[in-house]
Amino acid sequence: MPEAQSPAAALEGLAVPKIDRLDFVTVKLPFVAPFGTSVYTWTDKEALLLRLESDGVTAWSECVSDPDPFYSYETNGTVRHIVQDFLLPLVEPGITLGDLDARFRRVRGHGMAKATVENGILVLIALRKGVPLHELMGRPARKIMSGLSIGLKETKEELVAAVEKAVARKYGRVKMKVKKGQDVDWVRAVRDRFPDLPLMVDANGDYTLADSAHLRRLDEFDLMMVEQPLSYSDIYEHSLLQKEMSTPICLDESIHGLADAAAAIALGACRIVNIKQGRVGGLMESMRIAAHCARHGVGVWSGGMDETGIGRAVNIHLQTAEGFTLPGDTSETANYFDEDIADPPVVLDTNGFIDIPRGPGLGVRIVPERILKRALRWERLL
Ligand code: OSB
Ligand code: MG
């Protein structure tokens, strides 16, 4: 039997264009409010951007790493190193994106670095062709579901107020962060106030199997899922926990590529996968994972990393792909920044959906003055 066509075939066949100039630009944007998780509280977004120039066309790509290794082992520093010293030397005009992907596999891990380069090249190709990114992916435009991720709050009242705001905006679902000692009662406070709200929790790996009985208490709240309850590096123990819980488990940190997703599904470690395109190596691997999950009846959504308008737009285009059946962490720009570096900002329509930005490439304009205003460093690579 011939092998089924790759879900990312439309992108894999594209040729890498010649690149005239490359720069890393590090920007720092203050958050409108600190974003708290069980692993760290971020007060601003320090993002490493890649700027690509080809025949007068400029494309931008955003890396999802942080300056610190508290969520992921990759940092802006490791990405800079891996991109400059190992990935860029593999980029050759004329080879296909499929070939480039195969070359990149020699570098183990470092999916954030790989995604930065691959996505940048894809956006560059889309701009040169004058087509929107989703069209390059072979996917028709559609409205994208919204979802809000609410960070840890100081009080239950603050949390309920934040959820109230999200409900008023008609978000497709609400995710609340939890951690040890700030979980069951906090979920109950939200659930009592909003009995029908599509609600989920994200623990960012704060628990161990010794907490199984405690985590089972979440089963009474009709949650859509519990995201990454156990270690960031675990798959197997999640399969044991899933047998104990009726609430579906969603894996985030554990999924670095198709092989991880396939292993998790085979083990029964999760019923839902959070695909962060910026962590799994980019759009092509994301499409492969999503299609694999769809074939196995596993729900998929697009995760977020508090991205600026560049990464946010990539996540929106990605959700036109097969398999993205659940609302993701795609929310309005105003939740994060007073002024983003991209324009227009992401907003919800009156039904709580998001329109794909129109126009070639990402469909958003990267505003040079705002980049300059927010730039911490500018490094020319080529
Ligand atoms: O675990 O999904 C996560 C933000 C930073 C790091 C990890 C996570 C998150 C979020 C926010 O939950 C997602 C977003 O709104 O972009
Ligand atoms: Mg998460």
Side-chain angles (χ1 to χ4, degrees):
M1 248 191 19
E3 220 178 278
Q5 209 194 26
S6 161
L11 301 181
E12 286 159 357
L14 297 167
V16 173
K18 77 173 170 70
I19 298 168
D20 302 320
R21 179 176 170 160
L22 275 173
D23 301 84
F24 267 142
V25 183
T26 306
V27 291
K28 186 167 171 168
L29 283 74
F31 280 147
V32 293
F35 187 74
T37 73
S38 66
V39 294
Y40 193 65
T41 298
W42 287 275
T43 54
D44 43 55
K45 178 74 200 178
E46 191 172 318
L48 181 64
L49 310 177
L50 183 66
R51 181 186 181 277
L52 306 86
E53 215 180 284
S54 170
D55 289 331
V57 176
T58 301
W60 289 87
S61 169
E62 174 177 357
C63 185
V64 299
S65 59
D66 289 305
D68 58 80
F70 304 139
Y71 170 77
S72 151
Y73 72 89
E74 292 192 79
T75 67
N76 293 347
T78 69
V79 168
R80 205 184 257 108
H81 163 54
I82 294 293
V83 168
Q84 280 195 80
D85 297 341
F86 295 101
L87 299 180
L88 287 184
L90 300 175
V91 178
E92 191 186 325
I95 68 168
T96 66
L97 264 288
D99 291 336
L100 185 67
D101 207 45
R103 288 185 180 191
F104 277 8
R105 278 175 202 279
R106 187 157 173 231
V107 173
R108 295 180 172 181
H110 297 284
M112 294 181 178
K114 291 171 182 172
T116 308
V117 177
E118 272 195 14
N119 291 347
I121 292 173
L122 288 171
V123 173
L124 184 61
I125 294 172
L127 288 170
R128 286 176 54 112
K129 288 183 187 288
V131 301
L133 186 57
H134 69 82
E135 206 173 301
L136 201 70
M137 295 162 60
R139 305 296 300 178
R142 67 173 172 96
K143 292 232 182 219
I144 303 303
M145 292 174 281
S146 64
L148 183 62
S149 175
I150 297 178
L152 294 172
K153 300 290 180 200
E154 293 291 322
T155 65
K156 293 192 189 91
E157 291 68 34
E158 264 182 81
L159 171 63
V160 170
V163 176
E164 191 137 43
K165 250 178 82 181
V167 170
R169 300 293 293 159
K170 299 227 174 103
Y171 271 96
R173 64 99 168 110
V174 169
K175 153 167 145 184
M176 55 181 276
K177 295 287 188 180
V178 293
K179 66 174 182 181
K180 276 187 178 172
Q182 191 167 334
D183 45 33
V184 175
D185 294 342
W186 294 64
V187 173
R188 180 176 291 114
V190 172
R191 192 38 110 202
D192 282 353
R193 175 74 181 73
F194 303 100
D196 302 319
L197 174 69
L199 180 67
M200 59 172 289
V201 297
D202 185 1
N204 288 109
D206 206 37
Y207 300 88
T208 70
L209 270 186
D211 303 308
S212 293
H214 182 71
L215 288 167
R216 255 202 318 271
R217 294 178 61 199
L218 292 172
D219 281 345
E220 70 173 280
F221 299 109
D222 191 27
L223 299 175
M224 297 172 82
M225 68 197 89
V226 49
E227 183 178 346
Q228 201 75 31
L230 308 180
S231 170
Y232 67 93
S233 63
D234 171 76
I235 293 177
Y236 174 66
E237 290 191 344
H238 281 95
S239 76
L240 302 181
L241 179 65
Q242 183 66 91
K243 288 186 185 74
E244 305 276 314
M245 290 186 83
S246 59
T247 307
I249 289 177
C250 168
L251 290 180
D252 171 6
E253 283 92 325
S254 302
I255 306 299
H256 293 270
L258 178 59
D260 291 336
I265 292 169
L267 278 168
C270 64
R271 296 189 197 133
I272 296 169
V273 171
N274 168 353
I275 298 182
K276 286 189 178 158
Q277 54 78 19
R279 183 189 56 227
V280 301
L283 289 165
M284 296 192 290
E285 188 73 352
S286 298
M287 293 175 84
R288 295 180 198 118
I289 297 171
H292 179 87
C293 290
R295 275 197 301 279
H296 290 83
V298 166
V300 163
W301 51 277
S302 163
M305 288 292 287
D306 313 323
E307 290 95 338
T308 76
I310 299 172
R312 205 167 289 275
V314 173
N315 294 343
I316 290 171
H317 283 272
L318 169 64
Q319 289 173 74
T320 60
E322 179 202 352
F324 284 84
T325 48
L326 294 164
D329 278 344
T330 313
S331 60
E332 294 173 292
T333 304
N335 290 307
Y336 297 93
F337 313 111
D338 284 328
E339 184 191 73
D340 198 352
I341 50 179
D343 198 67
V346 174
V347 292
L348 305 194
D349 68 17
T350 50
N351 298 313
F353 282 78
I354 296 168
D355 283 310
I356 297 171
R358 285 178 196 283
L362 295 176
V364 293
R365 189 173 85 88
I366 314 306
V367 186
E369 313 85 71
R370 297 191 194 164
I371 296 262
L372 287 173
K373 182 166 143 193
R374 305 293 183 193
L376 292 183
R377 58 200 280 191
W378 194 296
E379 300 153 277
R380 184 159 180 178
L381 303 174
L382 183 79

